[in-house]
Amino acid sequence: MITKSLLALKHNLSTSENQIKFLGSSKLTMFSEKLEQQNLFPLTTNKLEIFQVNLGKMCNQVCKHCHVDAGPDRKEIMTRDTMQLCLDAIAKSGAHTVDLTGGAPEMNPDFRWFVEELSKLNKNIIVRCNLTIILANKKYNDLPEFFKAHKIEVVSSLPYFTASKTDSQRGDGVFEKSILALAMLNEVGYGLEGSELKLNLVYNPSGAFLPPDQMALEKEFKGKLKSLYNISFNKLYAITNLPVSRFLEYLVRSENYDNYMEKLVNAYNPIAAENVMCRNTLSVSWDGFIYDCDFNQMLEMRIDVENKFQHLSNFDLNTVNKRNIKTNQHCYGCTAGAGSSCSGNVA
Amino acid sequence: MKTYYNPEDLKKFGNISEFEPNLSKKFFDYYGEVFKDGALTAREKSLIALAVAHAVQCPYCIDAYTQDTMEKGCDEKQLMEAVHVAAAIKGGAALVHGVQMMNKYKELSM
Ligand code: SF4
Ligand code: SF4
């Protein structure tokens, strides 16, 4: 089990600069060339729908595949002032959904304040809850009730319906706690048939392989979680791991990098490329900079328009919508097979 | 080190068309059809393929179908149970010939 972030370990791949250098060093076809072949380069935006906010890199877990390099040793978290800038931008953005992520977003001391303010804007609010946070400390035990009170959609990772595959990716004991947390969410009405409280699960492979067919897997997860643990949920999103941060480090260390990248490139799907999530999403970092997606955020590929990095303090929807999306070799993870986004398949 | 099997050769499977394109095309079309969802799911077929791969002891197929079953959402227990199915049939197939041996033994004995 790992307990420290790459940053704390001073690992070579902890910096975005080194990751980008590494990704560019292989002989694979450039992602931009693939886009060019279908007249998609440079990639441009569609109507903004999802405003994603990363509330910080602090987390109670240290998952092996984490593209955020999150963990208890990460101290970068969003201040209330920056949250206020988010609220102003969201009100102007026209996005119908606000997606809160992290780290563990609930660990931000202003999390509840932010959700309460967001609720006044009449948006669909998503929280990416890692489940174990609900049990990590007494002060988080009432999160299911809090989520319910604000009609938040809960999206949670569960890589498998067995302990061995879940714990090997997310840490010892995570599966058992996740099942307890799911039961608490079910208890207040989340994920039950007919309930308007949505509980969606995220599957991502615990290793160097691609995700299965989303629908077939959802069926299997539903059957197993119900029969083994009496757990209910709404949808399952099957997500591909992108070669960023800790997953990149894992690929390199386990000598799976070349084969994995080759697999992604061979599975390139032009329809998925047309529908990549960055076309209808903005992603804001803890310090208020604006990115095309959470992956670009971790690679510090900031949006720039007319050579100016975009920050919430001068947010203008028309300006950011005029941008060309920044792509690189990691983007192959979004276009493989049925495609991958924060809400699962895109093709 | 030189060996008879080279993992890199698996990726070159398609190259068999170089010497005989028509039959190879027919084979790969057929292969593709076989593994689609049908009366059996693609996942069930992949597990059968993994078991057969062990029975015929093909290292290429073992690599390919270990990865494929993982990509179909199977876990280590399911993979190992499939291998045991292959082992049971192979073991059983050897043992059931024991009856033939016994027949012959009795035929030759006083
Ligand atoms: S994957 Fe999620 S839960 Fe795991 S360390 Fe990263 S942010 Fe935390
Ligand atoms: S990694 Fe980000 S920028 Fe690249 S295709 Fe995926 S969503 Fe778009």
Side-chain angles (χ1 to χ4, degrees), chain A residues 95-344:
Chain A
H96 54 68
T97 295
V98 180
D99 184 345
L100 304 180
T101 185
E106 304 90 338
M107 287 177 89
N108 185 309
D110 290 314
F111 170 75
R112 293 189 194 218
W113 174 82
F114 189 44
V115 168
E116 268 150 26
E117 293 303 307
L118 273 176
S119 300
K120 298 175 190 161
L121 299 179
N122 247 333
K123 306 279 180 193
N124 175 38
I125 307 171
I126 296 174
V127 170
R128 297 196 179 258
C129 170
N130 70 15
L131 297 174
T132 61
I133 189 69
I134 297 175
L135 296 148
N137 186 302
K138 255 202 189 128
K139 67 180 175 189
Y140 300 124
N141 290 172
D142 67 336
L143 277 171
E145 292 289 350
F146 177 79
F147 293 154
K148 179 181 178 172
H150 296 87
K151 295 205 175 61
I152 285 177
E153 178 182 332
V154 177
V155 177
S156 296
S157 282
L158 192 73
Y160 211 64
F161 44 77
T162 61
S164 65
K165 274 182 95 139
T166 302
D167 292 1
S168 77
Q169 179 190 88
R170 299 179 73 77
D172 294 345
V174 166
F175 181 75
E176 211 183 310
K177 285 186 205 142
S178 300
I179 293 294
L180 287 174
L182 286 169
M184 288 165 80
L185 287 161
N186 280 170
E187 181 74 31
V188 300
Y190 269 98
L192 306 180
E193 223 183 289
S195 163
E196 55 169 12
L197 299 168
K198 296 279 172 270
L199 170 59
N200 298 324
L201 296 184
V202 172
Y203 162 96
N204 48 352
S206 4
F209 55 98
L210 300 187
D213 175 72
Q214 184 168 281
M215 264 163 51
L217 194 67
E218 178 181 294
K219 210 170 139 208
E220 170 132 29
F221 261 64
K222 283 204 165 156
K224 294 276 190 202
L225 286 178
K226 190 76 201 165
S227 64
L228 296 171
Y229 305 102
N230 198 27
I231 298 289
S232 304
F233 67 96
N234 298 104
K235 285 193 226 148
L236 180 85
Y237 302 143
I239 292 187
T240 305
N241 289 315
L242 265 66
V244 176
S245 192
R246 290 212 283 265
F247 190 69
L248 174 62
E249 189 276 330
Y250 154 76
L251 287 176
V252 177
R253 181 169 33 86
S254 61
E255 297 181 8
N256 278 307
Y257 178 75
D258 290 330
N259 278 338
Y260 188 75
M261 289 306 290
E262 212 177 299
K263 223 171 195 302
L264 292 184
V265 176
N266 290 339
Y268 181 86
N269 177 352
I271 298 168
E274 270 176 43
N275 298 328
V276 281
M277 65 175 167
C278 44
R279 305 192 84 182
N280 67 356
T281 306
L282 280 180
S283 153
V284 173
S285 58
W286 67 277
D287 53 357
F289 281 98
I290 308 173
Y291 299 81
D292 301 301
C293 71
D294 206 48
F295 300 107
N296 283 9
Q297 183 182 137
M298 299 315 148
L299 291 170
E300 296 184 288
M301 295 162 59
R302 288 178 185 157
I303 290 177
D304 61 55
V305 185
E306 286 148 15
N307 288 328
K308 257 181 70 188
F309 285 135
Q310 297 295 304
H311 189 270
L312 282 178
S313 50
N314 48 20
F315 178 78
D316 177 63
L317 181 64
N318 286 330
T319 312
V320 290
N321 263 358
K322 269 196 316 217
R323 76 192 191 272
N324 290 333
I325 293 165
K326 293 195 168 174
T327 56
N328 204 325
Q329 299 303 74
H330 64 292
C331 296
Y332 276 119
C334 294
T335 55
S340 180
S341 75
C342 288
S343 18

Side-chain angles (χ1 to χ4, degrees), chain A residues 84-97:
Chain A
Q84 186 57 57
L85 293 177
C86 284
L87 291 166
D88 299 342
I90 289 163
K92 287 192 268 178
S93 72
H96 54 68
T97 295

Side-chain angles (χ1 to χ4, degrees), chain A residues 10-124:
Chain A
K10 298 193 171 68
H11 193 285
N12 182 36
L13 287 174
S14 66
T15 71
S16 54
E17 206 189 326
N18 286 345
Q19 290 177 55
I20 290 174
K21 219 192 283 166
F22 186 87
L23 287 166
S25 65
S26 76
K27 289 190 186 69
L28 296 169
T29 312
M30 293 301 292
F31 185 74
S32 52
E33 266 177 57
K34 286 274 193 191
L35 291 180
E36 252 163 25
Q37 284 164 14
Q38 60 181 119
N39 287 328
L40 268 183
F41 188 80
L43 197 60
T44 53
T45 63
N46 296 329
K47 189 182 170 332
L48 179 67
E49 295 184 67
I50 301 159
F51 196 104
Q52 194 172 57
V53 185
N54 193 308
L55 292 179
K57 300 187 180 184
M58 191 183 284
C59 192
N60 58 317
Q61 290 186 187
V62 196
C63 306
K64 281 187 196 155
H65 71 300
C66 182
H67 72 274
V68 180
D69 193 24
D73 59 51
R74 298 301 299 259
K75 305 296 176 217
E76 305 91 325
I77 52 165
M78 188 176 273
T79 62
R80 197 181 276 212
D81 286 347
T82 307
M83 286 177 180
Q84 186 57 57
L85 293 177
C86 284
L87 291 166
D88 299 342
I90 289 163
K92 287 192 268 178
S93 72
H96 54 68
T97 295
V98 180
D99 184 345
L100 304 180
T101 185
E106 304 90 338
M107 287 177 89
N108 185 309
D110 290 314
F111 170 75
R112 293 189 194 218
W113 174 82
F114 189 44
V115 168
E116 268 150 26
E117 293 303 307
L118 273 176
S119 300
K120 298 175 190 161
L121 299 179
N122 247 333
K123 306 279 180 193
N124 175 38

